[in-house]
Amino acid sequence: MTAEEFIKLRDFIYRKTGIYFEERKKYYVESRVEDRIKATGHDNFRSYFTWLRFDVTGKELQELINALTVNETYFFREYYQLKCFAEEILPEIVEKKSSIRVWSAGCSTGEEPYTLAIIMEEMLEGISGVTWEVHATDINTEVIEKAEVGLYSQRSVRLVPEEYKMRYFVAKGEFYEIVPEVKKKVKFYQLNLMDATAMRKMSGFDVIFCRNVLIYFDDASRRQVALYFYEALTEGGYIFLGHSESMSRITPIFKLRRFKNAFVYQK
């Protein structure tokens, strides 16, 4: 792929998804595009890109996005944030309402939303009248399918406390499967964070986790997604970003809350 071809493809993906690949990512993008060129029977980039742009079904664009957006994750990642969610934020929410909705945006293969479901099961069990649900979205359809299966390697569950592993997983050979009681609490579906129509349907969430996702967007796309998140949250709702991310660099509309265990942004 020439530098000019890379820019054409990068700009096309950006317009469709808001995801921006810098020049230093050229080799990463190129290797995955080569795989798609071979898989679709094209002879060169020009032929493939022309077909990609005019494919009205959108299927190949989705396949390409799937190939470009696979990220490693694991259960109980960035534990201090989860501790804040469990011990400080959930009690605040329960004081005000009995129905709690949490959204894992950029959920990848499901480790984060299932972790949140385990935490909520533990923290809210026995509190009369409280109901909750976790919504989990990703632009990548392949990771959504894996998440719905809920089968994980030992590497993925390495930080899960042993008592939780016994309670919420079933050993399947070298793998661990999420128990049905937790699976049914998490709703997975595909979502493009730059799809204005779809994003405006996302509403009524008390907490959003969007960790290490916005780093793949440019400044303009980050601001737009942050506005969508703001509208999706209930009044006083919370949003968690990755430890190296800062909402204040994106937009001033959220206020920063200092909790004992973490910093969290609030509507």
Side-chain angles (χ1 to χ4, degrees):
M1 191 189 303
T2 66
E4 183 181 356
E5 289 171 339
F6 169 74
I7 290 170
K8 283 182 179 179
L9 179 66
R10 179 192 68 186
D11 292 349
F12 176 74
I13 292 170
Y14 173 71
R15 289 194 301 273
K16 295 292 185 180
T17 69
I19 299 171
Y20 185 81
F21 292 100
E22 298 175 350
E23 275 76 4
R24 60 188 176 86
K25 289 279 191 178
K26 180 176 180 292
Y27 176 76
Y28 170 84
V29 173
E30 186 175 44
S31 64
R32 281 152 181 78
V33 171
E34 285 178 356
D35 289 341
R36 292 309 308 158
I37 290 172
K38 292 174 185 175
T40 54
H42 289 268
D43 296 324
N44 53 57
F45 173 81
R46 184 176 180 180
S47 170
Y48 172 75
F49 186 56
T50 300
W51 178 66
L52 176 69
R53 285 190 300 149
F54 294 103
D55 175 22
V56 294
T57 68
K59 289 181 179 179
E60 180 53 29
L61 176 60
Q62 185 63 62
E63 291 291 342
L64 180 59
I65 291 169
N66 288 353
L68 291 168
T69 58
V70 177
N71 298 302
E72 185 198 15
T73 184
Y74 48 88
F75 284 86
F76 288 87
R77 187 177 187 177
E78 296 181 9
Y79 178 77
Y80 69 97
Q81 290 188 331
L82 301 172
K83 186 175 174 67
C84 176
F85 170 67
E87 298 179 1
E88 300 179 87
I89 285 179
L90 277 179
E92 274 196 13
I93 298 172
V94 171
E95 284 183 7
K96 302 172 187 175
K97 58 195 304 185
S98 59
S99 178
I100 304 171
R101 302 176 82 230
V102 175
W103 175 13
S104 170
C107 67
S108 190
T109 43
E111 285 90 335
E112 178 180 86
Y114 284 135
T115 294
L116 298 175
I118 289 170
I119 289 171
M120 295 178 79
E121 186 70 32
E122 285 290 310
M123 299 302 295
L124 303 176
E125 185 182 20
I127 301 179
S128 179
V130 173
T131 60
W132 57 271
E133 61 186 27
V134 177
H135 291 244
T137 68
D138 203 284
I139 195 170
N140 187 321
T141 54
E142 289 182 358
V143 297
I144 290 290
E145 289 173 5
K146 289 179 181 178
E148 289 178 325
V149 172
L151 195 64
Y152 297 97
S153 68
Q154 294 186 33
R155 179 176 174 81
S156 289
V157 302
R158 65 188 184 276
L159 297 184
V160 178
E162 200 59 39
E163 60 183 289
Y164 290 180
K165 200 181 291 184
M166 293 175 63
R167 195 176 308 164
Y168 298 110
F169 294 84
V170 177
K172 295 282 185 75
E174 296 181 356
F175 295 89
Y176 292 85
E177 185 175 6
I178 290 285
V179 296
E181 293 77 18
V182 173
K183 271 188 187 179
K184 69 182 181 183
K185 289 282 194 174
V186 183
K187 300 179 180 180
F188 289 98
Y189 43 100
Q190 195 263 0
L191 178 68
N192 180 346
L193 296 179
M194 286 298 290
D195 183 335
T197 302
M199 288 295 281
R200 290 188 184 114
K201 294 177 182 177
M202 303 296 288
S203 62
F205 292 98
D206 302 292
V207 184
I208 296 173
F209 279 78
C210 184
R211 302 190 294 176
N212 307 309
V213 175
L214 296 181
I215 56 175
Y216 298 103
F217 291 66
D218 72 345
D219 290 343
S221 299
R222 288 189 193 108
R223 283 193 293 272
Q224 185 58 66
V225 173
L227 288 172
Y228 290 143
F229 285 152
Y230 188 85
E231 293 301 318
L233 283 169
T234 56
E235 198 61 41
Y238 307 90
I239 182 165
F240 285 84
L241 299 182
H243 73 278
S244 63
E245 299 175 285
S246 171
M247 184 63 81
S248 58
R249 294 177 190 164
I250 301 172
T251 174
I253 58 176
F254 291 91
K255 63 182 179 182
L256 184 63
R257 283 280 305 275
R258 183 193 297 267
F259 288 91
K260 184 171 63 177
N261 294 294
F263 291 100
V264 185
Y265 295 93
Q266 187 174 21
K267 179 171 177 177

